[in-house]
Amino acid sequence: SGRGLSDAQRVATANTVANWGYSPILRRADQGQLERLADALAEGATHGAADSTLKKDERAWLLWTQYAALVNFDPVIKPEHATDSPSVLPALLASFLLFVHTQLVGRERRTAKPQSSFAYPLSIIRVFKRWGVPVPSHGALKLTLKGLMRSYVNVYGKEAISPSRSQPFLFAMLTRVCAIRDTDYIGDEAWDPSLNRLNFIGLTLLKVMWRTGHRLGEAVKTSDELTYFVRADVTYRIA
C-alpha cells in the first residue's frame, strides 16, 4: 500500500498485459511485445498530462494508498474488478473524499474547504482513466460533497465557501443586461422584469451591487445548490 504512483503505474501495466493474455485476439502475441506495447501506451497517457496535473495526482495517490491501507484493499484497482463490482469503486471514492477532508488543514481554518478535498478523488479518477479502469460518474461524489459543504457552512458560515474572485462586475456587463428586451429568452425563460418578480429582483440587485463593487459569482442561485448570496440576504427598506 506504500507504492508511489510510478510503482503503481508499473503494477497497473502488468495487470493490463495479464488481462490481454485472456483475449482471443492476442492469444498468439508475444509476451514481450505486449509488455512493450502496454508500456508505450502508459507512457503516452502520462506524457499527455500537464506537469501540474501529475503533481496533483502524486499527492492524491499518496493519500489514496493511506486510505487503502486503512480499509485494507489494493489501491491499484484492476479493470475487471471495477467492471465485476460496479458499485464498489464509487463507494470507495465517496468515502475517500470524507477521509481526505479529515486529513487536510485549511489556510485560515482548522479544516480545508470541501472543494479542496473534492480535487483528490477527481485525481484518482484521472489516474484510473489513464490505466483503462472503468470509473464512475461524479454523481455519487457530488452528493457527498454537498453534504460536506452543508456541514462546513453550519460551522463556518456561507462566507467561508465563497470563491475569492478578482474579476469585477463591469459596467459594460450591466449595460448588456439592461439592453435585453422584454420577452427575449434567457435559456428557457422569457426575460420580463416588469412581470417576472425574479427578473426584477435580479436586475435590481445587479444595479445596486455594481455600485458597491461586487465580484463575479457572488450572487449565485442554481436549483437547490448552496448559494453564496441569496435573496433572503437582502431586505428592502422603502422610504
Side-chain angles (χ1 to χ4, degrees):
S1 60
R3 286 190 292 256
L5 189 52
S6 56
D7 292 335
Q9 171 73 69
R10 285 189 284 272
V11 174
T13 301
N15 289 340
T16 298
V17 174
N19 199 35
W20 284 350
Y22 294 103
S23 169
I25 301 173
L26 298 173
R27 65 174 180 267
R28 295 182 181 177
D30 177 73
Q31 181 75 10
Q33 288 181 330
L34 291 181
E35 291 174 356
R36 288 189 290 274
L37 174 61
D39 285 337
L41 291 174
E43 185 177 351
T46 301
H47 285 173
D51 288 342
S52 57
T53 298
L54 295 176
K55 289 178 181 177
K56 291 177 185 176
D57 294 348
E58 282 279 2
R59 290 195 295 269
W61 187 260
L62 177 61
L63 280 179
W64 176 252
T65 57
Q66 293 174 10
Y67 171 69
L70 182 66
V71 181
N72 196 22
F73 69 90
D74 190 340
V76 183
I77 306 294
K78 294 182 178 181
E80 59 270 27
H81 292 170
T83 302
D84 294 342
S85 305
S87 64
V88 173
L89 186 53
L92 287 176
L93 288 167
S95 55
F96 175 59
L97 171 57
L98 297 175
F99 170 78
V100 169
H101 193 61
T102 66
Q103 304 299 306
L104 301 185
V105 178
R107 294 180 180 178
E108 301 175 0
R109 298 172 180 85
R110 185 169 53 85
T111 55
K113 291 182 180 180
Q115 299 99 314
S116 300
S117 305
F118 189 58
Y120 284 73
L122 293 185
S123 284
I124 300 304
I125 287 176
R126 220 170 22 238
V127 169
F128 285 148
K129 278 185 176 179
R130 290 201 296 266
W131 296 349
V133 177
V135 293
S137 69
H138 300 165
L141 285 176
K142 286 183 177 178
L143 286 175
T144 306
L145 175 65
K146 185 182 292 186
L148 272 180
M149 290 185 71
R150 292 192 184 282
S151 299
Y152 195 81
V153 166
N154 287 339
V155 176
Y156 297 111
K158 284 192 300 183
E159 294 78 10
I161 62 168
S162 298
S164 300
R165 292 186 173 96
S166 59
Q167 303 97 320
F169 184 73
L170 302 176
F171 182 69
M173 299 176 184
L174 178 61
T175 302
R176 289 176 60 189
V177 174
C178 292
I180 299 174
R181 297 173 298 181
D182 291 354
T183 70
D184 278 356
Y185 275 81
I186 309 298
D188 296 329
E189 298 288 334
W191 174 262
D192 193 348
S194 63
L195 297 177
N196 187 303
R197 183 169 175 267
L198 182 59
N199 290 168
F200 171 76
I201 291 175
L203 184 58
T204 303
L205 283 175
L206 289 177
K207 290 178 179 179
V208 172
M209 293 169 66
W210 171 76
R211 292 178 178 272
T212 59
H214 85 292
R215 304 289 175 169
L216 294 181
E218 285 180 345
V220 178
K221 176 67 176 165
T222 16
S223 65
D224 62 345
E225 296 292 331
L226 288 164
T227 58
Y228 308 125
F229 181 89
V230 295
R231 282 174 289 153
D233 295 326
V234 179
T235 301
Y236 283 98
R237 297 185 64 182
I238 303 175

